[in-house]
Amino acid sequence: MASSVRAKRVTDPLNEKVKAQLIGHQLSYVSSGSEYSAAAVDDDSPSLSELVHDFLEHELSQAQPPSYDSDSERVDTVADSTELIEDILRSTANGNVDLYRNLLLTHVLKSMEMFSRLRQQKSVFRRKVMSLLRELGHNAAICKTKWSSSGGLTAGNYEYIDVVQSDSYTSTQNRYFVDLDFAAEFEIARPTNAYTRLSATLPRVYVGKGEELKRIVKVTCDAAKKSLKSKDLTLPPWRKNRHMQNKWFGPYKRTVNPIPAASLSPAAGPSVSNGVKCRCIGFDDGVNGRLFVRTR
């Protein structure tokens, strides 16, 4: 009886829409491309227990003022987070662990260099990189997440690239996340020295599987919260773990359209953006046959 009462207390503050979000049953928003729910991301979605914990933590933070024993203890805690992230990245970067991931990272960096002039046009830049990855033989696509505000979760949307690798020997598929400006997503106001060091360990460009990404996001969000509280600042809703996890693990649309929907126009040919004249070129011209590696 006691356990059933306790479960009721946990879920009572949550309406049906929030409960659906927690278990990954909320459908993604309407757009072009294939639709995927949060539950479709294999085991990479935040677990129910984690999301409920974040919700309760949010409620408690509203009622309890922050308290710390000493400044040195705060720094040591964030320093521990830095070491943990370094361990995660070391295991990911080990060439003997995932050869395909290393090949994909090489192709992502070369693609970014090729279209570096478009870096300020983030949506166009992302799609150019995605399209070139497809030319290089990768099953790449743009993933667009969008979620509503509820239960302390702030509404938001995000875009990233994913690559699905099919293993013909085991008949399994591996999903890789590609974020072209990953570290920038964790910038906060007035960071402590410890958090600045942690930020420096984050990859500017993330290429890897969901398991590592999920752990990095959780650890970094916890460290950001400690850093801000040490400065008597509140963690903004868009930097909380639930919000950040939704960027990569929320319901999403997957599309291979090389042109952003907002940029589509009947006229074809050269276009001018921000004073820079650009022209469309074939990827055969850009690749010139030198980078192509068949990966499937």
Side-chain angles (χ1 to χ4, degrees), residues 76-135:
D76 289 344
T77 303
V78 177
D80 290 341
S81 300
T82 303
E83 293 179 3
L84 180 55
I85 289 179
E86 288 176 340
D87 289 342
I88 296 172
L89 294 176
R90 268 195 298 269
S91 64
T92 302
N94 189 332
N96 295 325
V97 173
D98 194 337
L99 295 177
Y100 179 78
R101 180 259 174 195
N102 294 334
L103 173 67
L104 177 59
L105 175 60
T106 299
H107 286 174
V108 168
L109 296 178
K110 287 182 181 295
S111 301
M112 292 178 66
E113 181 181 0
M114 181 173 295
F115 296 110
S116 59
R117 74 186 190 282
L118 299 173
R119 189 180 291 271
Q120 299 304 315
Q121 304 174 55
K122 292 186 177 181
S123 186
V124 175
F125 179 58
R126 191 180 299 113
R127 279 164 172 74
K128 289 293 186 182
V129 171
M130 178 273 294
S131 297
L132 185 51
L133 289 176
R134 293 185 66 84
E135 287 290 317

Side-chain angles (χ1 to χ4, degrees), residues 148-219:
S148 303
S149 59
S150 56
L153 176 66
T154 303
N157 60 81
Y158 196 65
E159 283 193 10
Y160 59 92
I161 299 172
D162 83 342
V163 176
V164 178
Q165 178 214 20
S166 298
D167 191 326
S168 58
Y169 295 102
T170 61
S171 299
T172 59
Q173 289 187 329
N174 297 311
R175 186 173 184 237
Y176 293 82
F177 294 77
V178 178
D179 196 301
L180 305 183
D181 199 12
F182 181 71
E185 295 302 311
F186 298 91
E187 294 175 355
I188 61 173
R190 296 171 56 190
T192 60
N193 291 335
Y195 188 81
T196 299
R197 289 193 293 272
L198 180 148
S199 299
T201 67
L202 295 174
R204 175 69 182 273
V205 179
Y206 180 83
V207 176
K209 294 182 178 179
E211 181 181 353
E212 293 84 4
L213 175 58
K214 181 180 175 182
R215 293 173 61 197
I216 291 173
V217 173
K218 179 67 168 64
V219 172

Side-chain angles (χ1 to χ4, degrees), residues 2-51:
S3 61
S4 63
V5 173
R6 183 165 59 253
K8 185 175 181 181
R9 288 175 181 172
V10 170
T11 57
D12 270 351
L14 310 180
N15 59 33
E16 292 303 320
K17 187 175 182 181
V18 179
K19 292 175 185 176
Q21 272 192 317
L22 291 176
I23 60 176
H25 287 168
Q26 181 172 341
L27 294 178
S28 54
Y29 68 105
V30 177
S31 178
S32 61
S34 301
E35 235 178 64
Y36 298 86
S37 69
V41 195
D42 301 325
D43 296 326
D44 297 331
S45 303
S47 66
L48 174 61
S49 59
E50 288 177 328
L51 292 175

Side-chain angles (χ1 to χ4, degrees), residues 221-293:
C221 288
D222 288 347
K225 183 177 181 179
K226 295 182 179 72
S227 175
L228 287 166
K229 282 192 173 182
S230 72
K231 300 284 188 176
D232 295 324
L233 298 174
T234 303
L235 183 69
W238 55 90
R239 283 292 180 266
K240 291 183 178 179
N241 181 56
R242 283 183 65 199
H243 184 94
M244 296 296 287
Q245 294 280 354
N246 263 311
K247 289 186 174 183
W248 297 279
F249 301 111
Y252 65 98
K253 288 277 191 177
R254 193 173 193 266
T255 177
V256 296
N257 190 347
I259 304 174
S263 302
L264 292 175
S265 64
S271 62
V272 178
S273 178
N274 296 329
V276 179
K277 186 176 182 180
C278 304
R279 66 185 182 89
C280 296
I281 62 172
F283 284 106
D284 289 339
D285 297 331
V287 178
N288 199 24
R290 290 177 295 177
L291 298 178
F292 187 89
V293 176

Side-chain angles (χ1 to χ4, degrees), residues 50-65:
E50 288 177 328
L51 292 175
V52 170
H53 175 270
D54 288 340
F55 175 82
L56 295 178
E57 186 181 51
H58 167 74
E59 295 298 314
L60 289 174
S61 66
Q62 303 302 312
Q64 298 177 356

